[in-house]
Amino acid sequence: MSLDKVLAKIDADLDQSVNRLLDLLRIPSISTDPAYKSDCARAADWLVEDLKTLGFDASSRPTPGHPMVVAHGGTGERHLLFYGHYDVQPVDPLDLWDRDPFDPEVQDTAKGRVIRGRGSADDKGQLMTFIEACRAWKAVHGSLPGKLTIFLEGEEESGSPSLIPFMQDNAAELKADIALICDTGMFEDTTPAIVTMLRGLLGEEITVYGPDKDLHSGMYGGAAINPIRVLTKILGNLHDETGRVTVPHFYDGVQELPDAIRAQWQALAFDHAKFLGDVGLSVPAGEQDRTPLEMLWSRPTAEINGIWGGYTGQGFKTVLPAEAHAKISFRLVAGQDPDVLRGHFRAWVQEQLPADCRVEFHGHGNGPAGVMSVEAPAFDAARAALGEEWGKPAAFVGCGGSIPIAGYFKTYLDMDAMLIGFGRDDDQIHSPNEKYDLECFQKGIRSWARVLAKLV
Ligand SMILES: [Zn+2]
């Protein structure tokens, strides 16, 4: 069977694949620091040249920031776009590295062989898993695995300022049937995962005003309204005793988890006692009728991130303050519109204000949740392919944080994204001594070959 030949080719050529990755890792493409601008361009050029050897029509495309790499190749019914990023995080503090971050090497460790160096996991090692899979496929079949567009950016670690304009300007060229993104991790060491739910975010800052100046609590306390008292009472009402958010309409449109996903999550060995124990806690504090994974991945939340007012300096001052402040954020799930929710939250605060108080709101960033249509056959195909490689079923998982790129593909190119990655929790991305397990690199390449075999 030809897939077996591709897998055998991947294994046979692993040393060369590692050497190519080491070459790419030697280029210090730190996107946030202008001193490395030419290195970013060099990394883009390196990738363009490598993709050309595979028969891609590849180019480095200028932007106001660092270049994008865009490559097209192959033919087929389904058009797949692959996304990764060639820029890396800064390396300081340098003295915490055991070696030069840009002099990568393969090391033997107690947990197996690792590729050590900045970018090994985030994201050069991961993006090369896809390119190496294409290389082995081409060697066996003489052609690329289907109609492919490879899209690599160089500003992911610095907020992707050029990404949306570039997507808008080149929408027709970039639009494909589905996007494959390799910049995430495994569920745990040996359980592969496809991220299909990303929570959104809504930020609000509120200021409650009372008396027109700070007052002396001995002279006015009792008769004058205290804005901190008003604010804490309102915020104290944000959750009921079961952990539910009380803002009216907050849960409007929030869907229950499909049974199939619920069953997958129940089968995952998520140790919530350890998860909480690692941060000195023991009891899940969210909605009490939900599992901890639901609390993290599929349920919306409200958190008070900061609260201040009155006198907070050294010693003591019996002030009755004129104003009180808080920052509040909401993690959102599918079905929740951040703008609508902002309105409901503000109305709910306003309603609770007593006489003589007024409130001002300041909105911070917002973004809707991203939920992939896992009914699309590509998702089950990829899940099966990953299961065959790792010997364990892959899980459709959520991600409590936000990965904006997946939402951008949906918003600007109207395509779903499959986030498949092979990182492990101890890869130390963004930290000193970043590594990528050799096993993840090898099995990552093999995984893509299997996924592509099912998708093309
Ligand atoms: Zn990354």
Side-chain angles (χ1 to χ4, degrees):
M1 197 188 130
S2 61
L3 175 61
D4 291 330
K5 286 191 191 147
V6 175
L7 297 175
K9 180 75 179 157
I10 289 167
D11 293 342
D13 290 353
L14 184 64
D15 285 351
Q16 285 127 283
S17 299
V18 169
N19 284 335
R20 273 185 291 267
L21 172 57
L22 295 178
D23 277 347
L24 180 59
L25 291 174
R26 285 189 193 99
I27 306 174
S29 46
I30 302 171
S31 59
T32 45
D33 187 341
Y36 296 91
K37 188 168 174 60
S38 65
D39 294 300
C40 290
R42 200 148 58 87
D45 291 341
W46 187 97
L47 286 158
V48 166
E49 289 312 311
D50 190 47
L51 288 165
K52 281 182 181 169
T53 66
L54 298 180
F56 279 98
D57 176 9
S59 55
S60 169
R61 310 270 283 268
T63 74
H66 302 300
M68 303 281 177
V69 173
V70 181
H72 302 289
T75 54
E77 290 271 292
R78 199 189 321 239
H79 182 186
L80 305 173
L81 177 139
F82 175 82
Y83 166 90
H85 63 90
Y86 66 78
D87 63 321
V88 299
Q89 279 275 318
V91 293
D92 45 288
L94 203 53
D95 56 324
L96 292 184
W97 284 81
D98 295 333
R99 60 183 294 110
D100 178 348
F102 297 110
D103 179 21
E105 68 168 3
V106 179
Q107 296 175 343
D108 285 307
T109 74
K111 285 186 69 187
R113 307 195 83 194
V114 305
I115 302 160
R116 182 89 60 191
R118 174 56 91 225
S120 54
D122 183 17
D123 185 42
K124 289 172 174 172
Q126 301 240 65
L127 76 87
M128 287 305 287
T129 59
F130 189 86
I131 294 175
E132 294 299 341
C134 292
R135 193 182 328 268
W137 189 287
K138 175 105 196 255
V140 169
H141 293 268
S143 61
L144 289 166
K147 183 170 161 61
L148 297 178
T149 294
I150 297 200
F151 179 38
L152 309 172
E153 78 160 309
E155 301 181 326
E156 198 274 345
E157 304 291 6
S158 48
S160 301
S162 308
L163 186 60
I164 291 173
F166 190 86
M167 277 183 167
Q168 288 174 320
D169 291 348
N170 300 278
E173 183 186 350
L174 294 172
K175 167 93 174 132
D177 295 309
I178 193 161
L180 307 171
I181 300 175
C182 193
D183 197 17
T184 50
M186 310 269 291
F187 173 70
E188 45 78 52
D189 278 0
T190 56
T191 307
I194 303 175
V195 177
T196 62
M197 289 183 186
L198 301 158
R199 289 198 292 192
L201 186 67
L202 168 64
E204 275 284 273
E205 186 170 329
I206 68 180
T207 303
V208 174
Y209 296 94
D212 61 10
K213 59 178 85 64
D214 281 1
L215 304 174
H216 188 294
S217 69
M219 285 179 69
Y220 287 94
I225 189 78
N226 181 331
I228 297 182
R229 175 177 139 199
V230 173
L231 179 66
T232 53
K233 183 152 191 267
I234 293 172
L235 296 181
N237 290 336
L238 195 53
H239 300 85
D240 70 15
E241 62 287 351
T242 70
R244 264 178 87 84
V245 177
T246 58
V247 176
H249 305 292
F250 185 71
Y251 294 97
D252 286 4
V254 174
Q255 305 278 313
E256 282 304 316
L257 210 53
D259 289 342
I261 300 285
R262 186 184 302 277
Q264 279 184 29
W265 289 7
Q266 272 160 359
L268 288 174
F270 179 68
D271 184 347
H272 81 258
K274 178 175 186 310
F275 177 76
L276 289 174
D278 284 349
V279 293
L281 300 175
S282 59
V283 182
E287 293 171 273
Q288 292 305 299
D289 55 343
R290 303 287 169 178
T291 65
L293 278 184
E294 284 179 86
M295 292 177 191
L296 292 166
W297 290 348
S298 67
R299 298 294 296 172
T301 64
E303 295 295 345
I304 301 157
N305 305 114
I307 177 163
W308 70 102
Y311 183 72
T312 56
Q314 290 247 319
F316 207 83
K317 188 178 169 189
T318 52
V319 64
L320 197 161
E323 54 190 70
H325 310 259
K327 289 180 196 279
I328 296 131
S329 65
F330 301 90
R331 292 279 171 186
L332 309 181
V333 302
Q336 290 181 302
D337 180 328
D339 294 321
V340 171
L341 217 55
R342 201 191 287 285
H344 288 313
F345 172 71
R346 290 181 176 186
W348 174 80
V349 171
Q350 201 86 52
E351 227 163 60
Q352 300 176 76
L353 276 187
D356 290 339
C357 282
R358 69 185 172 86
V359 61
E360 267 177 25
F361 298 96
H362 178 65
H364 286 272
N366 71 56
V371 174
M372 312 305 157
S373 328
V374 294
E375 314 78 47
F379 281 83
D380 271 330
R383 184 166 177 252
L386 291 170
E388 283 158 21
E389 175 60 29
W390 293 86
K392 265 189 194 180
F396 289 148
V397 302
C399 175
S402 303
I403 303 178
I405 179 73
Y408 297 159
F409 280 128
K410 189 84 193 168
T411 306
Y412 299 102
L413 301 175
D414 190 28
M415 57 203 265
D416 274 318
M418 277 204 286
L419 295 115
I420 299 173
F422 310 100
R424 285 181 171 152
D425 288 347
D426 63 354
D427 282 346
Q428 303 181 98
I429 61 168
H430 297 204
S431 298
N433 297 320
E434 178 177 351
K435 61 90 176 161
Y436 196 38
D437 290 337
L438 192 60
E439 182 190 25
C440 292
F441 184 59
Q442 181 175 9
K443 289 175 80 67
I445 302 169
R446 292 171 53 98
S447 295
W448 282 122
R450 290 180 188 273
V451 169
L452 289 166
K454 289 201 197 284
L455 292 187
V456 297

